[in-house]
Amino acid sequence: MTNQLYQEESARIAALRDRILNTKDPEVLTRLRDTTVIDGQSLRASAGEPSWTIRRGRLTADRLKAMQFEIDELAPLVGQVRPGSENAVEREAARAYLAGYTLDLPGQTGHCELDLAPLMALGIDGLAAQIRAQTEKDAEVYRAFLLALGGLSQMIEGAAETVEAAAPTASNARRADLQKLASDCHHIAHAAPSSFFQALQLLWFVLLGVMQADKAWLVVPGHLDRTLWPFYAADIARGALTRERALMLIETLYLFINAYIPDGLAMSVMVGGRDIEGNDVTNDLSYLCLEALRRTKMIYPTVGVCWHEGTPTELVDLAVELIGQGYPTPAFFGDPTIQNGLARLGVPAREACRYINSTCVEITPSGGSNVWVASPYYNTCGLLLQEIADQAASASGDAAPTFQAFLTSYRQRLACAIAQGVAEQNAYRQARRDHMRRPLQSIFTRDCIARGQDLEAGGARYNWVECSFIGLANLADALYVIREEVYTQRRLTLAQMKSVLDADFAGLEPTRQRFLNGYPKYGQGDVGIDALVSDIIRFVTQTCAAFSVEPDASPYVPGAFAWIMHEQLGRQTGATPDGRRAGFPFADGCGPAQGRELHGPTAAVLSVTGWDHSQMIGGLAYNLKFNKTLFRSAAGFEGLKTLILTYLRRGGFEVQVNVVDAATLKAARAEPESFRDLIVR
């Protein structure tokens, strides 16, 4: 590509990016996703159909057919959704009619990578023929699948017609592009894609269709470097595609994601990793998926590098370069650690080598998942305060005579909370099995077609539930203080400690400082406190392993993924014995609590990797934070790379890095509209 052409395409992506940033409106996104009117119309029309499964297939198809697209002259692909007309009377009438239906229930949706291999090989019509050939199972389920697949085809045909309608008024150069785009859309509405362009366009149509029509949110692009590689390699070989053109198409996909997904959530791409024989699978698309972050620089997607010892140095260097330059969306995942964890859950090696951080850091097997993530969140420190209160209320003021007795009682409380969480999730699962259907997502989820079952009815290959334990670092720090203050030094009784915490340390700042700084904390490389963390993790994993979830006795899988819940649960929770004040956020993942890495990042890494991360497939995030002044020389980048690799080689699950300075954060707080692309993980 000539320098002039590169500059032109860079300007085009920059302009499209700015347009999306400047026009993204939460109210418009809510309208865009609202299908109330079409739902009412669809269910009225199907009222005579006795099968709820078939009616849900029709509903999915009708939602797909109703989707409308906008054509942006800057975008080489089509995929920006146009909100439907807002007719308040129709909407209220539909809402009243729909009150008699169960269209949504508690529980998880999406959070997965779809199985697109059959579609990419067969096309929509070929996949429909494959479904029609299934005659041994429930005919109603297959009919619903075919209705949904037909709706997807019609949605894509509708997009092609929208493109054709825009062509006559376009410039000569743009008209030719639109005619080619319309032709490509007509093709993939029925047949298998025959080019990288068509494969990428089809991938976005499917993601969009599943999210919009099945209400399965946060269905992610996943391993683009694997899904799209055959098309990329073939097009490059025959001279039909350049690397630079492929980069711009990936960038456009990233921008489309940002235009559709509300802020504050997550969408993930993964690159690199290994195949079943252990061979590295990094390819040119792996680099392009990372490089696409440079010009787009928006919140979506994150790009995770599946790291192992065979990962090319160049891929690691590119990710570290982007991080050091202030791009926070690359992250590193420990491939050996995660594969070991998946193997523990019974995932065979041929599938354990392809997984996805389903949005943030929660791990699910690609293509076969109805795994629920972060379901539910457990406030470990809130439970600790309940334990302190109950113990303090005893007649003696200190019912547990030893720390071990206190710890045993707390564990019983935590185990009861875990049991309640399992019962709640199983109730949700049963209700969804009775009332919910997701036919389009089911088509792209192993083994729904083979089993003749909808994903909500048990058709998926993997159905476990991932719960999340919030505040584990604070919990360990607090337990250490309780052990020393109450049981070893006997400076306070539990009743006295409760009084201190209830007062939120008011007038007791020396006591708070003693709790906070007078004892070692997790993240400082101290053997004693790190052993407490390992003990907590061991108990949590063993307790969760004793339970199973519907519909097929799948595992109940722990994690310490926080999302925003460390802040929300922290806001709801009183002061804790680690010196944390009431309402202050808990630690934001598997790392130390805020401000406690007093012995530097290496000591923190040694603490954080002092226990087996593979047990926590529900997700672990380790956040590193550095001032951008450290990256003014090559030594800064090399130092960060060494630290990251040390963490991963010691069994680290995931690590992500914020590189920003105080001035930027202050400016963003004062003028947020000027920093809409600032991301702090």
Side-chain angles (χ1 to χ4, degrees):
M1 175 181 284
T2 66
N3 184 61
Q4 180 180 353
L5 185 54
Y6 179 82
Q7 294 298 329
E8 289 175 356
E9 293 201 344
S10 295
R12 182 176 179 179
I13 288 297
L16 182 59
R17 174 186 179 275
D18 289 345
R19 182 174 297 177
I20 288 171
L21 269 176
N22 294 331
T23 59
K24 190 170 184 177
D25 184 331
E27 292 186 9
V28 173
L29 287 179
T30 299
R31 279 182 52 211
L32 183 153
R33 291 161 169 252
D34 185 4
T35 59
T36 302
V37 173
I38 192 63
D39 290 357
Q41 293 171 350
S42 177
L43 290 174
R44 283 182 190 275
S46 69
E49 169 58 59
S51 168
W52 179 238
T53 296
I54 292 174
R55 294 185 74 190
R56 285 303 297 244
R58 288 183 179 176
L59 178 59
T60 293
D62 288 339
R63 287 171 174 171
L64 289 164
K65 289 183 283 187
M67 288 181 67
Q68 300 178 45
F69 292 90
E70 295 179 336
I71 304 303
D72 192 314
E73 73 275 8
L74 295 170
L77 301 165
V78 57
Q80 291 168 274
V81 182
R82 178 188 304 155
S85 61
E86 183 70 13
N87 186 314
V89 174
E90 283 187 351
R91 192 168 181 276
E92 288 309 310
R95 187 190 297 276
Y97 177 77
L98 294 172
Y101 288 89
T102 302
L103 294 181
D104 202 5
L105 284 166
Q108 278 276 337
T109 67
H111 291 81
C112 64
E113 178 182 12
L114 300 174
D115 179 16
L116 297 181
L119 178 68
M120 294 297 178
L122 302 172
I124 291 177
D125 289 356
L127 191 53
Q130 187 181 75
I131 294 171
R132 289 191 191 96
Q134 301 286 336
T135 58
E136 300 175 1
K137 308 289 191 310
D138 190 339
E140 290 184 358
V141 173
Y142 290 127
R143 186 175 166 196
F145 289 178
L146 289 170
L147 286 166
L149 201 55
L152 178 65
S153 179
Q154 288 180 267
M155 182 198 85
I156 299 172
E157 287 283 14
E161 291 167 4
T162 301
V163 175
E164 288 172 333
T169 57
S171 66
N172 289 338
R174 179 60 174 164
R175 187 180 305 121
D177 288 342
L178 291 176
Q179 289 170 343
K180 178 66 167 58
L181 176 57
S183 175
D184 285 332
C185 288
H186 282 305
H187 176 86
I188 60 175
H190 301 279
S194 59
S195 68
F196 177 80
F197 183 98
Q198 290 181 359
L200 183 60
Q201 178 70 78
L202 181 58
L203 179 143
W204 175 239
F205 278 142
V206 174
L207 299 187
L208 194 59
V210 170
M211 287 190 284
Q212 184 78 359
D214 270 352
K215 306 298 183 185
W217 306 122
L218 305 182
V219 177
V220 302
H223 292 265
L224 292 176
D225 60 347
R226 303 192 197 190
T227 302
L228 300 177
W229 173 248
F231 302 96
Y232 176 85
D235 279 7
I236 291 289
R238 65 189 178 92
L241 180 71
T242 64
R243 192 175 189 271
E244 292 77 9
R245 176 68 172 173
L247 174 61
M248 189 180 72
L249 294 175
I250 295 170
E251 290 168 337
T252 303
L253 172 68
Y254 288 7
L255 294 176
F256 280 2
I257 292 169
N258 283 277
Y260 180 75
I261 303 295
D263 293 347
L265 301 172
M267 291 286 281
S268 53
V269 167
M270 264 196 168
V271 298
R274 295 174 291 174
D275 61 20
I276 187 174
E277 286 83 22
N279 300 313
D280 180 69
V281 297
T282 302
N283 58 48
D284 202 30
L285 277 178
S286 310
Y287 295 89
L288 292 181
C289 288
L290 274 169
E291 185 62 37
L293 298 173
R294 196 186 303 274
R295 292 194 300 200
T296 55
K297 198 181 181 182
M298 294 181 77
I299 60 173
Y300 305 131
T302 59
V303 180
V305 176
C306 297
W307 181 88
H308 60 100
E309 288 292 353
T311 298
T313 299
E314 294 81 3
L315 188 70
V316 175
D317 288 345
L318 175 57
V320 171
E321 174 197 342
L322 290 167
I323 291 169
Q325 291 177 354
Y327 297 82
T329 48
F332 286 89
F333 288 79
D335 186 60
T337 299
I338 292 171
Q339 286 204 41
N340 287 341
L342 290 172
R344 288 183 180 202
L345 296 173
V347 180
R350 66 180 181 277
E351 295 187 38
C353 63
R354 180 162 175 169
Y355 52 83
I356 187 66
N357 55 316
S358 64
T359 44
C360 294
V361 293
E362 327 89 295
I363 300 299
T364 60
S366 295
S369 168
N370 184 35
V371 172
W372 290 6
V373 303
S375 300
Y377 293 99
Y378 293 104
N379 184 345
T380 62
C381 291
L383 293 169
L384 178 66
L385 294 183
Q386 293 175 21
E387 185 63 33
I388 293 172
D390 285 355
Q391 295 281 347
S394 68
S396 65
D398 189 1
T402 66
F403 176 70
Q404 190 57 47
F406 176 88
L407 187 59
T408 297
S409 183
Y410 172 75
R411 286 172 172 172
Q412 291 171 349
R413 184 181 298 271
L414 180 56
C416 287
I418 291 171
Q420 291 170 3
V422 173
E424 179 182 76
Q425 299 306 308
N426 277 332
Y428 293 161
R429 279 275 171 100
Q430 185 57 53
R432 293 172 74 92
R433 185 170 188 146
D434 293 339
H435 298 287
M436 300 295 292
R437 296 291 182 270
R438 299 189 191 280
L440 191 62
Q441 185 182 359
S442 298
I443 291 168
F444 303 112
T445 304
R446 298 186 304 272
D447 295 303
C448 292
I449 293 176
R451 294 176 177 176
Q453 290 181 311
D454 187 274
L455 170 143
E456 295 281 13
R461 185 172 296 183
Y462 301 106
N463 295 287
W464 65 70
V465 171
E466 297 176 353
C467 54
S468 196
F469 294 84
I470 306 302
L472 291 176
N474 301 87
L475 175 65
D477 291 348
L479 287 171
Y480 194 99
V481 172
I482 291 171
R483 185 178 71 186
E484 296 302 308
E485 288 277 329
V486 177
Y487 294 100
T488 301
Q489 302 176 28
R490 298 192 178 277
R491 301 180 70 161
L492 296 172
T493 66
L494 282 172
Q496 291 170 330
M497 177 168 282
K498 179 180 182 299
S499 296
V500 169
L501 300 177
D502 287 347
D504 194 18
F505 301 103
L508 299 166
E509 185 60 18
T511 302
R512 190 179 84 87
Q513 288 299 322
R514 187 172 77 242
F515 287 5
L516 182 62
N517 297 314
Y519 302 101
K521 296 291 186 287
Y522 177 58
Q524 297 173 0
D526 181 86
V527 174
I529 187 69
D530 292 351
L532 261 180
V533 175
S534 297
D535 182 69
I536 293 166
I537 298 297
R538 189 179 307 110
F539 175 78
V540 162
T541 54
Q542 289 176 351
T543 303
C544 287
F547 294 96
S548 61
V549 295
E550 298 289 345
D552 52 4
S554 290
Y556 193 58
V557 181
F561 163 59
W563 185 40
I564 59 173
M565 297 306 294
H566 62 294
E567 188 277 330
Q568 290 192 9
L569 292 177
R571 192 187 324 136
Q572 301 166 14
T573 306
T576 44
D578 58 333
R580 173 191 149 275
R581 287 193 180 277
F584 193 79
F586 294 123
D588 57 6
C590 68
Q594 298 86 338
R596 299 179 189 179
E597 297 175 346
L598 301 182
H599 298 167
T602 301
V605 164
L606 295 178
S607 284
V608 173
T609 55
W611 47 277
D612 185 0
H613 289 197
S614 70
Q615 303 172 87
M616 304 287 276
I617 287 299
L620 298 174
Y622 180 39
N623 288 294
L624 290 169
K625 297 170 282 292
F626 296 100
N627 192 291
K628 69 179 183 181
T629 58
L630 294 174
F631 299 96
R632 291 174 177 168
S633 68
F637 290 91
E638 193 61 31
L640 176 60
K641 175 181 171 181
T642 299
L643 186 66
I644 289 172
L645 293 182
T646 298
Y647 170 80
L648 294 168
R649 284 174 174 141
R650 286 177 55 85
F653 186 102
E654 186 265 5
V655 59
Q656 54 198 35
V657 186
N658 279 320
V659 175
V660 70
D661 58 19
T664 300
L665 293 174
K666 290 177 181 178
R669 175 172 288 185
E671 195 178 350
E673 289 301 316
S674 298
F675 293 86
R676 292 188 64 186
D677 58 352
L678 177 65
I679 307 161
V680 180
R681 301 243 274 192

